[in-house]
Amino acid sequence: MFVTLEGPEGSGKTSQGDALGTVLSAYVPILLTREPGGTELGERVRDILLGFGGPALDPVTQLLLLSAARAQHVREVLRPAIAEGRSVLCVRYADSSRAYQGGGDGVAEAVIEAAIAIATDGLEPDLTIYLDLDPVVGLRRRAMAGTEGAQEGWNRFDARELAFHQRVREAYKRLARACPGRVVTVDADRPFEAVRADILEIVLSRIAVIVRGGAS
Ligand code: TYD
């Protein structure tokens, strides 16, 4: 099973992914990964895109860099893991390009979908958990985390204007409406444990459906 976690800054994707990975790893072999990242190239692209010291990048350039990193991630890590029978949990994937470069920066949908098609080679998640959160709340959480450690610190996307983050959220909501079978929305403006319990229930019920259906 290939599961992605999506959502705006500060919605807790990484911590929730870690928590879910810990529970699931007791039952199935799990690979926990993220985008941009997951490969050496992905981590380098991450530095270029997110670091404040990096070059100015047009949104189409961002899309292509993210897509190059995704192409490598799919071929080097995701497909081999799935072929070995492992379940994959990925924090951010193609929907982030739809939401950020598409919704946030207005790159044409046809361009976004073409880049995603090339990068993913048709590898779609079985399930996407969308952690929905008002960007005002998310950015406040992120700002507070930034004071505690550089790892969770502010990045170039976080620093974009509020209207950008609101467009990103609207794009995620449209996606969730357009793909109700794949994308499940979880209200992330609640205590960590409540969100964690919801995510676990959704994932376990999806596994039960797959097992009943006889799929792998
Ligand atoms: P990260 O620190 O992982 O943010 P978060 O903790 O909120 O997930 O930074 C990843 C950033 O990259 C995030 O701001 C969204 C952006 N991004 C895109 O714009 N498009 C993409 O396709 C991906 C994968 C990420």
Side-chain angles (χ1 to χ4, degrees), residues 17-31 87 89 196 200 204 207:
D18 288 346
L20 180 63
T22 303
V23 173
L24 294 182
S25 63
Y27 305 96
V28 283
I30 283 274
L31 171 77
S87 288
L89 206 52
R196 193 186 75 97
L200 189 60
L204 291 180
I207 290 173

mmCIF file of all heavy atoms in Angstrom, residues 17-31 87 89 196 200 204 207:
data_model
loop_
_atom_site.group_PDB
_atom_site.id
_atom_site.type_symbol
_atom_site.label_atom_id
_atom_site.label_comp_id
_atom_site.label_asym_id
_atom_site.label_seq_id
_atom_site.Cartn_x
_atom_site.Cartn_y
_atom_site.Cartn_z
ATOM 1 N N GLY A 17 3.277 11.245 10.410
ATOM 2 C CA GLY A 17 3.849 10.172 9.587
ATOM 3 C C GLY A 17 4.721 9.260 10.434
ATOM 4 O O GLY A 17 4.648 8.030 10.322
ATOM 5 N N ASP A 18 5.549 9.863 11.293
ATOM 6 C CA ASP A 18 6.412 9.073 12.182
ATOM 7 C C ASP A 18 5.559 8.195 13.095
ATOM 8 O O ASP A 18 5.850 7.002 13.290
ATOM 9 C CB ASP A 18 7.277 9.996 13.060
ATOM 10 C CG ASP A 18 8.381 10.678 12.254
ATOM 11 O OD1 ASP A 18 8.633 10.249 11.108
ATOM 12 O OD2 ASP A 18 8.975 11.650 12.762
ATOM 13 N N ALA A 19 4.496 8.787 13.663
ATOM 14 C CA ALA A 19 3.645 8.040 14.606
ATOM 15 C C ALA A 19 2.952 6.886 13.895
ATOM 16 O O ALA A 19 2.924 5.746 14.388
ATOM 17 C CB ALA A 19 2.612 8.989 15.238
ATOM 18 N N LEU A 20 2.423 7.156 12.711
ATOM 19 C CA LEU A 20 1.728 6.113 11.948
ATOM 20 C C LEU A 20 2.716 5.020 11.530
ATOM 21 O O LEU A 20 2.416 3.823 11.634
ATOM 22 C CB LEU A 20 1.078 6.745 10.710
ATOM 23 C CG LEU A 20 0.308 5.806 9.790
ATOM 24 C CD1 LEU A 20 -0.880 5.191 10.517
ATOM 25 C CD2 LEU A 20 -0.178 6.557 8.550
ATOM 26 N N GLY A 21 3.895 5.446 11.101
ATOM 27 C CA GLY A 21 4.920 4.487 10.684
ATOM 28 C C GLY A 21 5.285 3.555 11.821
ATOM 29 O O GLY A 21 5.467 2.343 11.617
ATOM 30 N N THR A 22 5.384 4.104 13.024
ATOM 31 C CA THR A 22 5.747 3.282 14.184
ATOM 32 C C THR A 22 4.690 2.220 14.443
ATOM 33 O O THR A 22 5.009 1.044 14.671
ATOM 34 C CB THR A 22 5.920 4.188 15.427
ATOM 35 O OG1 THR A 22 6.908 5.160 15.113
ATOM 36 C CG2 THR A 22 6.342 3.395 16.649
ATOM 37 N N VAL A 23 3.418 2.609 14.379
ATOM 38 C CA VAL A 23 2.344 1.628 14.633
ATOM 39 C C VAL A 23 2.335 0.561 13.538
ATOM 40 O O VAL A 23 2.329 -0.642 13.815
ATOM 41 C CB VAL A 23 0.962 2.329 14.685
ATOM 42 C CG1 VAL A 23 -0.160 1.305 14.784
ATOM 43 C CG2 VAL A 23 0.896 3.300 15.860
ATOM 44 N N LEU A 24 2.362 0.999 12.280
ATOM 45 C CA LEU A 24 2.232 0.044 11.165
ATOM 46 C C LEU A 24 3.418 -0.899 11.067
ATOM 47 O O LEU A 24 3.269 -2.053 10.658
ATOM 48 C CB LEU A 24 2.059 0.794 9.841
ATOM 49 C CG LEU A 24 0.765 1.596 9.669
ATOM 50 C CD1 LEU A 24 0.735 2.222 8.284
ATOM 51 C CD2 LEU A 24 -0.471 0.725 9.879
ATOM 52 N N SER A 25 4.597 -0.399 11.475
ATOM 53 C CA SER A 25 5.795 -1.235 11.307
ATOM 54 C C SER A 25 5.757 -2.482 12.189
ATOM 55 O O SER A 25 6.513 -3.423 11.969
ATOM 56 C CB SER A 25 7.063 -0.429 11.561
ATOM 57 O OG SER A 25 7.065 0.014 12.884
ATOM 58 N N ALA A 26 4.846 -2.497 13.166
ATOM 59 C CA ALA A 26 4.688 -3.710 13.976
ATOM 60 C C ALA A 26 3.994 -4.812 13.164
ATOM 61 O O ALA A 26 4.061 -5.985 13.522
ATOM 62 C CB ALA A 26 3.878 -3.402 15.235
ATOM 63 N N TYR A 27 3.308 -4.431 12.088
ATOM 64 C CA TYR A 27 2.531 -5.415 11.315
ATOM 65 C C TYR A 27 3.066 -5.666 9.912
ATOM 66 O O TYR A 27 2.969 -6.775 9.393
ATOM 67 C CB TYR A 27 1.061 -4.945 11.199
ATOM 68 C CG TYR A 27 0.445 -4.666 12.534
ATOM 69 C CD1 TYR A 27 0.408 -3.369 13.048
ATOM 70 C CD2 TYR A 27 -0.076 -5.704 13.302
ATOM 71 C CE1 TYR A 27 -0.135 -3.114 14.292
ATOM 72 C CE2 TYR A 27 -0.621 -5.458 14.552
ATOM 73 C CZ TYR A 27 -0.646 -4.161 15.049
ATOM 74 O OH TYR A 27 -1.178 -3.918 16.273
ATOM 75 N N VAL A 28 3.552 -4.597 9.268
ATOM 76 C CA VAL A 28 4.018 -4.736 7.873
ATOM 77 C C VAL A 28 5.344 -4.001 7.715
ATOM 78 O O VAL A 28 5.599 -3.039 8.437
ATOM 79 C CB VAL A 28 2.992 -4.121 6.871
ATOM 80 C CG1 VAL A 28 1.801 -5.018 6.643
ATOM 81 C CG2 VAL A 28 2.547 -2.729 7.301
ATOM 82 N N PRO A 29 6.191 -4.440 6.764
ATOM 83 C CA PRO A 29 7.415 -3.674 6.508
ATOM 84 C C PRO A 29 7.055 -2.328 5.896
ATOM 85 O O PRO A 29 6.292 -2.267 4.926
ATOM 86 C CB PRO A 29 8.197 -4.549 5.525
ATOM 87 C CG PRO A 29 7.258 -5.575 5.016
ATOM 88 C CD PRO A 29 6.072 -5.645 5.917
ATOM 89 N N ILE A 30 7.588 -1.262 6.501
ATOM 90 C CA ILE A 30 7.188 0.092 6.101
ATOM 91 C C ILE A 30 8.408 0.883 5.671
ATOM 92 O O ILE A 30 9.452 0.834 6.327
ATOM 93 C CB ILE A 30 6.570 0.825 7.322
ATOM 94 C CG1 ILE A 30 5.152 0.347 7.591
ATOM 95 C CG2 ILE A 30 6.578 2.328 7.155
ATOM 96 C CD1 ILE A 30 4.107 1.074 6.795
ATOM 97 N N LEU A 31 8.246 1.639 4.609
ATOM 98 C CA LEU A 31 9.268 2.619 4.237
ATOM 99 C C LEU A 31 8.669 4.006 4.453
ATOM 100 O O LEU A 31 7.605 4.323 3.919
ATOM 101 C CB LEU A 31 9.656 2.471 2.760
ATOM 102 C CG LEU A 31 10.557 3.598 2.272
ATOM 103 C CD1 LEU A 31 11.992 3.401 2.743
ATOM 104 C CD2 LEU A 31 10.525 3.728 0.754
ATOM 105 N N SER A 87 5.155 -1.516 2.392
ATOM 106 C CA SER A 87 4.213 -0.410 2.316
ATOM 107 C C SER A 87 5.007 0.875 2.406
ATOM 108 O O SER A 87 6.015 0.950 3.105
ATOM 109 C CB SER A 87 3.192 -0.474 3.455
ATOM 110 O OG SER A 87 2.298 -1.535 3.215
ATOM 111 N N LEU A 89 5.049 5.036 3.094
ATOM 112 C CA LEU A 89 4.400 6.196 3.699
ATOM 113 C C LEU A 89 5.236 7.399 3.301
ATOM 114 O O LEU A 89 6.405 7.485 3.674
ATOM 115 C CB LEU A 89 4.466 5.995 5.213
ATOM 116 C CG LEU A 89 3.433 6.632 6.107
ATOM 117 C CD1 LEU A 89 2.048 6.297 5.646
ATOM 118 C CD2 LEU A 89 3.657 6.132 7.535
ATOM 119 N N ARG A 196 -4.008 11.805 15.366
ATOM 120 C CA ARG A 196 -3.317 10.527 15.210
ATOM 121 C C ARG A 196 -4.324 9.369 15.167
ATOM 122 O O ARG A 196 -4.228 8.464 14.336
ATOM 123 C CB ARG A 196 -2.353 10.309 16.382
ATOM 124 C CG ARG A 196 -1.363 9.187 16.187
ATOM 125 C CD ARG A 196 -0.553 8.960 17.444
ATOM 126 N NE ARG A 196 -1.357 8.269 18.444
ATOM 127 C CZ ARG A 196 -1.325 6.959 18.652
ATOM 128 N NH1 ARG A 196 -0.507 6.206 17.955
ATOM 129 N NH2 ARG A 196 -2.096 6.395 19.550
ATOM 130 N N LEU A 200 -5.018 6.779 12.001
ATOM 131 C CA LEU A 200 -4.845 5.335 12.165
ATOM 132 C C LEU A 200 -6.115 4.594 11.754
ATOM 133 O O LEU A 200 -6.066 3.581 11.041
ATOM 134 C CB LEU A 200 -4.479 5.027 13.619
ATOM 135 C CG LEU A 200 -4.059 3.596 13.897
ATOM 136 C CD1 LEU A 200 -2.836 3.231 13.065
ATOM 137 C CD2 LEU A 200 -3.737 3.416 15.385
ATOM 138 N N LEU A 204 -6.225 1.893 8.773
ATOM 139 C CA LEU A 204 -6.567 0.502 9.077
ATOM 140 C C LEU A 204 -7.812 0.063 8.328
ATOM 141 O O LEU A 204 -7.894 -1.061 7.829
ATOM 142 C CB LEU A 204 -6.746 0.306 10.590
ATOM 143 C CG LEU A 204 -5.453 0.433 11.403
ATOM 144 C CD1 LEU A 204 -5.730 0.234 12.894
ATOM 145 C CD2 LEU A 204 -4.374 -0.540 10.934
ATOM 146 N N ILE A 207 -6.768 -0.682 4.833
ATOM 147 C CA ILE A 207 -6.060 -1.972 4.741
ATOM 148 C C ILE A 207 -7.085 -3.116 4.757
ATOM 149 O O ILE A 207 -6.993 -4.065 3.981
ATOM 150 C CB ILE A 207 -5.047 -2.135 5.900
ATOM 151 C CG1 ILE A 207 -3.870 -1.175 5.704
ATOM 152 C CG2 ILE A 207 -4.539 -3.583 5.982
ATOM 153 C CD1 ILE A 207 -2.897 -1.123 6.867
#
